[in-house]
């Protein structure tokens, strides 16, 4: 199976990874894994003030902070993932990556907000579910 793991460095990502590790019969190293992390874009004025090179360096550093511990964890379990860094709307870009990358499954942790919480705050998980044509597995 080709699996896309959406990671953000939160406790919910850790729960998803723990689930993955405890279900090695389904999610073992015989699958192909990719990690995706999405950074929110800097405001246009801030990006203009620091310059494109500095902004891109910032995005890369922030993505590395999120992905490095996940890669280390997965390598301990015999998994060597590919890494995808994006900048933009997380829900939209995760869904697009799942579809365009021809993944069999998108796996992510969920904060588990109520329906009212999703309406008021929005939810990356809700956006991914709404826009992704690939099966999505939420771990709470």
């Amino acid at each position: 199976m080709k699996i896309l793991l959406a990671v953000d460095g939160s406790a919910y990502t850790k729960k998803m990874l723990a689930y993955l590790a405890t279900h090695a019969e389904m999610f073992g190293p015989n699958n192909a894994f990719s990690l995706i992390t999405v950074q929110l874009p800097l405001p246009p004025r801030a990006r203009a003030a620091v310059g494109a090179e500095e902004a891109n360096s910032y995005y890369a550093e922030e993505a590395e902070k999120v992905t490095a511990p996940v890669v280390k964890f997965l390598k301990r379990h015999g998994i060597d993932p590919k890494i995808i860094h994006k900048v933009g709307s997380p829900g939209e870009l995760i869904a697009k990556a799942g579809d365009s990358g021809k993944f069999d499954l998108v796996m992510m942790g969920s904060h588990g907000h109520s329906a009212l919480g999703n309406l008021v705050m929005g939810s990356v998980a809700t956006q991914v579910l709404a826009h992704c044509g690939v099966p999505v597995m939420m771990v709470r």
Side-chain angles (χ1 to χ4, degrees), residues 1-59:
M1 239 187 350
K2 192 173 174 188
I3 302 171
L4 180 64
L5 304 175
V7 298
D8 64 0
S10 70
Y12 305 99
T13 292
K14 291 177 184 174
K15 284 185 178 183
M16 183 255 310
L17 292 171
Y19 183 86
L20 186 133
T22 58
H23 292 83
E25 68 281 356
M26 290 175 20
F27 303 112
N30 56 332
N31 297 297
F33 288 90
S34 293
L35 301 178
I36 184 168
T37 187
V38 180
Q39 304 301 312
L40 292 172
L42 294 171
R45 286 186 138 172
R47 183 175 168 85
V50 299
E53 187 175 318
E54 188 65 31
N56 291 336
S57 175
Y58 166 77
Y59 295 138

Side-chain angles (χ1 to χ4, degrees), residues 41-96:
L42 294 171
R45 286 186 138 172
R47 183 175 168 85
V50 299
E53 187 175 318
E54 188 65 31
N56 291 336
S57 175
Y58 166 77
Y59 295 138
E61 287 173 19
E62 291 300 306
E64 178 67 18
K65 287 179 192 175
V66 171
T67 58
V70 176
V71 169
K72 185 177 178 182
F73 175 85
L74 292 174
K75 285 190 176 186
R76 277 187 280 155
H77 289 87
I79 298 168
D80 188 19
K82 290 178 24 180
I83 301 171
I84 303 167
H85 300 183
K86 298 282 185 182
V87 176
S89 170
E92 182 182 319
L93 292 175
I94 292 166
K96 280 184 181 177

Side-chain angles (χ1 to χ4, degrees), residues 68-136:
V70 176
V71 169
K72 185 177 178 182
F73 175 85
L74 292 174
K75 285 190 176 186
R76 277 187 280 155
H77 289 87
I79 298 168
D80 188 19
K82 290 178 24 180
I83 301 171
I84 303 167
H85 300 183
K86 298 282 185 182
V87 176
S89 170
E92 182 182 319
L93 292 175
I94 292 166
K96 280 184 181 177
D99 289 336
S100 66
K102 295 186 169 53
F103 287 92
D104 299 306
L105 178 69
V106 173
M107 192 172 178
M108 60 191 299
S110 172
H111 292 229
H113 295 301
S114 66
L116 178 61
N118 284 344
L119 181 65
V120 174
M121 296 179 286
S123 166
V124 172
T126 302
Q127 291 175 2
V128 172
L129 286 170
H131 300 290
C132 194
V134 174
V136 178

